[in-house]
Amino acid sequence: MRNRQMINLFAGLAFVLSLIGTAYAQSGSIGFPNGITVAIKTETVPPSNSGSLGNAYSSGSTYSGSGNIVHRVMTDTKNKIYFGYDVVVEKQAESEKFVVTIKPLSKTPAQVMGKYARPVENGPDYTKFTPRSLPKFPDPVILNDGDTITLDILENPQTNGKISDIIKVTSKPGRFPSHFSEREKAKDFTIDDVNLLLDAPEILIDGRKSQLGGRASANLLWVYFNGKGRFIFSFVPQPGYDFQKTGMILDNKILFDHNGESYEFINKSPVLGLGGKWNLWVMFDPDYKPSHKLSPESLYEFGGATKVEYLFDKK
């Protein structure tokens, strides 16, 4: 896809320069009910892929949004400050073009994390972080479906370190696992490139029905049930971890039993590849605690990982 725009938002402030040494490349996306998907990929110079971007977060996924707004937040836990921006997307009538506006961040970290967000044990209290504003914001730009904007956010002139956000807007999500394949180098295919998919599944527990909104695609997937614990799914054994071959993938379904209850996830898309029937390794993690307190009406939290050790803070 074409890179339509490059926008510089260099903060040039000493308090954010330390982030360049601790930030890592990652990407995430938000799909809205109107069919628009906003994907954001963070890139660093020099490149770094040794972990996740711990200072970018939201409620339930890498980025969070409501309506047509995505709230992008970065934090500096050492100095207890935060900054960021909002991405507002409007589809032009009867065309495949979008008006994209970058605006000042309209939510605090605690608000992005949720109305009932509270600090976890020994964790930062985001309600006490103070804001810092980026110095300028660009005029609205018009993008074709699938085009990208590059925002250079932070730069350290002494080290030539830089953090950039790549923003892609599309109304054609779900065709590929990654929204940014064109930015990656070609490589040999391995088993690590096979992903499981959660695609806004309908969830039945002993026939009781609810809905999980959003998408996640990774080698391992997990779903946390509020107040119950976390289930982790893998299509291969995971030596050293308590995975049991107790589940099954059946085309667009994940099926397993636990503690006398029957679980069924019914995807909108195939769980693995183009569909089929496979064994599924399931691990129950009763000790998992969300990074923030979920509100009473929030039934689930979910996500994915490329390696199982990333789910347990083991490097």
Side-chain angles (χ1 to χ4, degrees):
M1 294 295 180
R2 297 176 301 279
N3 183 33
R4 298 283 295 181
Q5 304 283 342
M6 177 172 287
I7 300 172
N8 296 324
L9 295 181
F10 291 136
L13 302 175
F15 81 92
V16 297
L17 297 183
S18 62
L19 291 176
I20 295 175
T22 59
Y24 303 94
Q26 73 172 35
S27 63
S29 64
I30 284 291
F32 299 108
N34 59 11
I36 295 174
T37 292
V38 178
I40 302 179
K41 178 179 176 66
T42 302
E43 296 184 345
T44 66
V45 175
S48 177
N49 294 295
S50 58
S52 63
L53 184 58
N55 50 17
Y57 59 89
S58 67
S59 177
S61 60
T62 305
Y63 301 95
S64 113
S66 58
N68 61 344
I69 301 176
V70 177
H71 309 291
R72 171 69 164 98
V73 183
M74 296 187 76
T75 64
D76 181 344
T77 56
K78 180 180 179 180
N79 297 302
K80 293 183 173 56
I81 54 180
Y82 71 91
F83 66 102
Y85 57 88
D86 285 354
V87 183
V88 182
V89 180
E90 298 287 349
K91 194 175 191 301
Q92 291 190 326
E94 299 180 359
S95 75
E96 292 191 351
K97 294 181 181 294
F98 304 93
V99 178
V100 180
T101 306
I102 309 297
K103 293 185 174 183
L105 184 66
S106 62
K107 288 194 174 186
T108 66
Q111 289 173 329
V112 172
M113 291 170 65
K115 180 179 179 181
Y116 296 89
R118 296 291 186 273
V120 297
E121 184 178 357
N122 299 321
D125 185 352
Y126 291 108
T127 64
K128 297 180 180 180
F129 278 40
T130 56
R132 294 290 182 92
S133 297
L134 294 172
K136 60 181 180 180
F137 293 87
D139 294 331
V141 296
I142 297 178
L143 298 183
N144 293 318
D145 195 311
D147 284 347
T148 62
I149 301 173
T150 298
L151 277 73
D152 291 327
I153 304 173
L154 306 177
E155 184 178 44
N156 187 336
Q158 283 72 42
T159 64
N160 292 322
K162 185 169 68 173
I163 298 176
S164 301
D165 276 355
I166 316 300
I167 302 174
K168 176 177 286 190
V169 181
T170 180
S171 59
K172 301 167 183 169
R175 295 178 298 169
F176 308 105
S178 171
H179 290 281
F180 298 97
S181 297
E182 73 277 5
R183 302 185 68 86
E184 300 170 0
K185 293 182 179 180
K187 60 182 181 179
D188 294 334
F189 183 84
T190 69
I191 192 67
D192 292 334
D193 297 305
V194 179
N195 288 328
L196 297 170
L197 173 67
L198 283 178
D199 185 10
E202 184 179 84
I203 296 179
L204 284 76
I205 305 177
D206 281 345
R208 301 186 303 274
K209 184 184 299 185
S210 59
Q211 189 79 27
L212 176 64
R215 291 167 54 92
S217 178
N219 301 108
L220 299 103
L221 296 175
W222 59 267
V223 178
Y224 170 75
F225 289 81
N226 199 353
K228 180 176 293 189
R230 177 172 67 164
F231 293 98
I232 307 172
F233 307 112
S234 174
F235 56 83
V236 295
Q238 298 291 339
Y241 294 86
D242 189 24
F243 280 82
Q244 306 293 322
K245 193 168 63 173
T246 56
M248 181 174 66
I249 297 171
L250 180 59
D251 294 327
N252 67 324
K253 298 178 181 179
I254 291 177
L255 308 168
F256 65 99
D257 293 331
H258 175 76
N259 199 24
E261 293 182 312
S262 176
Y263 291 76
E264 183 175 2
F265 294 13
I266 306 175
N267 250 1
K268 292 184 176 180
S269 307
V271 175
L272 183 61
L274 298 177
K277 187 175 183 179
W278 294 278
N279 292 318
L280 183 68
W281 276 257
V282 182
M283 177 180 173
F284 180 60
D285 178 15
D287 299 323
Y288 173 78
K289 302 296 182 185
S291 59
H292 58 279
K293 183 178 179 180
L294 298 181
S295 62
E297 63 270 17
S298 297
L299 301 177
Y300 314 109
E301 185 180 61
F302 68 98
T306 56
K307 295 183 179 181
V308 66
E309 53 263 35
Y310 293 162
L311 297 174
F312 296 94
D313 295 325
K314 295 181 181 179
K315 303 299 182 182

